[in-house]
């Protein structure tokens, strides 16, 4: 069974930074694109970013305006999300998700999420 | 950016009835459309992909249809565990986008 375990969330002041990690197991990590999706309290799902299987391409939500950076280390089966210049509106549960199939595009497996709270 | 619009925001139906949820894309997404189910306090689960393929673990009462800009999720006979929130998601273009969700309530 696919395992995705996020970590790195917490309380941070506005303007601060956090680095989220997602450790993957029980599948061939290097074969799949990986994504981050977030959900603000009581709100819907918002796609944040995707990195392709080899890390060669990355994609971001327009609203992030260059503040977030996704990366992966296939030798460690881990995907990261570096979040800078955090704002109150970045408060959310951040989910790591795996593509449903190779090049599939939809999100077939999700982690349990890590909570990010931006507040002074 | 492709805007995904779900309707209605809340759908009130009775157990055993049929539920029809709609999702409209602001541009053509072909059949690159997924539906997710999210129960309270739980992680979203992939329900439908490729507009009509049912994901593992979901019963046949769930079906998806549509292509281009108009999509439908149908639950043929609602069971108690189906009264939750459903999201559509386009993966045709970057940036990926979700609809705002439809809550199915009793």
């Amino acid at each position: 069974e696919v395992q995705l375990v996020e970590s790195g969330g917490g309380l941070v002041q506005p303007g601060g930074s956090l680095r989220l990690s997602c450790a993957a197991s029980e599948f061939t990590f290097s074969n799949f694109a990986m994504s981050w999706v977030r959900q603000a309290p009581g709100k819907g799902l918002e796609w944040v970013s995707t990195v392709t299987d080899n890390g060669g391409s990355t994609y971001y939500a327009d609203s992030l305006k260059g503040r977030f950076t996704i990366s992966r280390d296939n030798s460690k089966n881990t995907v990261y999300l570096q979040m800078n210049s955090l704002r109150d509106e970045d408060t959310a549960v951040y989910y790591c998700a795996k593509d449903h199939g190779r090049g599939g595009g939809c999100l077939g497996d999700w982690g349990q999420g890590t909570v990010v709270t931006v507040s002074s | 950016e492709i805007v995904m619009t779900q309707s209605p925001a809340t759908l009130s139906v009775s157990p055993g009835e049929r539920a029809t949820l709609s999702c409209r894309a602001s541009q053509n997404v072909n059949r690159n459309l997924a539906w997710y189910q999210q129960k309270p306090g739980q992680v979203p689960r992939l329900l439908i992909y490729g507009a009509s393929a049912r994901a593992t673990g979901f019963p046949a009462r769930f079906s998806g249809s549509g292509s281009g800009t108009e999509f439908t999720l149908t639950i043929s006979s609602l069971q108690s565990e189906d009264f939750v929130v459903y999201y559509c998601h386009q993966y045709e273009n970057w940036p990926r986008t979700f609809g705002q969700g439809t809550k199915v309530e009793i």
Side-chain angles (χ1 to χ4, degrees):
Chain A
E1 181 182 349
V2 169
Q3 298 286 329
L4 299 169
V5 180
E6 302 94 335
S7 60
L11 175 63
V12 60
Q13 292 188 338
S17 297
L18 276 179
R19 188 196 198 200
L20 306 184
S21 300
C22 172
S25 59
E26 304 305 323
F27 67 99
T28 306
F29 182 72
S30 59
N31 284 353
F32 293 90
M34 297 295 295
S35 299
W36 290 94
V37 175
R38 69 183 181 183
Q39 187 168 34
K43 303 298 184 181
L45 302 174
E46 180 184 15
W47 173 80
V48 171
S49 183
T50 297
V51 58
T52 53
D53 52 4
N54 63 3
S57 295
T58 57
Y59 305 90
Y60 299 92
D62 293 345
S63 62
L64 297 180
K65 295 183 180 178
R67 297 184 296 120
F68 290 11
T69 302
I70 192 171
S71 61
R72 65 190 294 161
D73 185 338
N74 284 350
S75 69
K76 296 182 178 179
N77 287 359
T78 301
V79 59
Y80 305 97
L81 186 68
Q82 177 67 43
M83 305 187 296
N84 298 330
S85 302
L86 284 162
R87 306 168 179 170
D88 291 352
E89 56 264 34
D90 296 318
T91 294
V93 177
Y94 284 73
Y95 296 105
C96 167
K98 166 190 165 291
D99 256 19
H100 176 61
R102 298 189 69 176
C106 61
L107 306 172
D109 297 278
W110 298 60
Q112 290 300 309
T114 188
V115 178
V116 172
T117 303
V118 183
S119 175
S120 54
Chain B
E1 159 175 325
I2 297 177
V3 177
M4 307 300 292
T5 302
Q6 291 186 240
S7 61
T10 302
L11 181 62
S12 298
V13 290
S14 298
E17 289 187 340
R18 181 186 193 92
T20 302
L21 288 68
S22 296
C23 176
R24 173 176 292 179
S26 62
Q27 301 173 35
N28 180 21
V29 299
N30 293 303
R31 292 181 62 81
N32 293 312
L33 189 285
W35 292 91
Y36 301 86
Q37 180 192 69
Q38 188 176 31
K39 297 182 177 181
Q42 294 190 20
V43 176
R45 285 181 64 195
L46 178 65
L47 168 59
I48 298 287
Y49 60 95
S52 61
R54 197 167 51 250
T56 303
F58 283 96
R61 66 178 181 271
F62 292 93
S63 63
S65 63
S67 65
T69 62
E70 299 284 344
F71 299 88
T72 300
L73 173 68
T74 302
I75 312 171
S76 60
S77 177
L78 281 157
Q79 306 298 301
S80 58
E81 62 267 30
D82 302 335
F83 290 92
V84 294
V85 180
Y86 297 86
Y87 296 93
C88 63
H89 168 222
Q90 69 81 18
Y91 51 99
E92 169 73 10
N93 282 349
W94 303 102
R96 307 304 199 210
T97 45
F98 286 91
Q100 80 279 18
T102 291
K103 181 180 180 180
V104 178
E105 66 174 22
I106 299 177

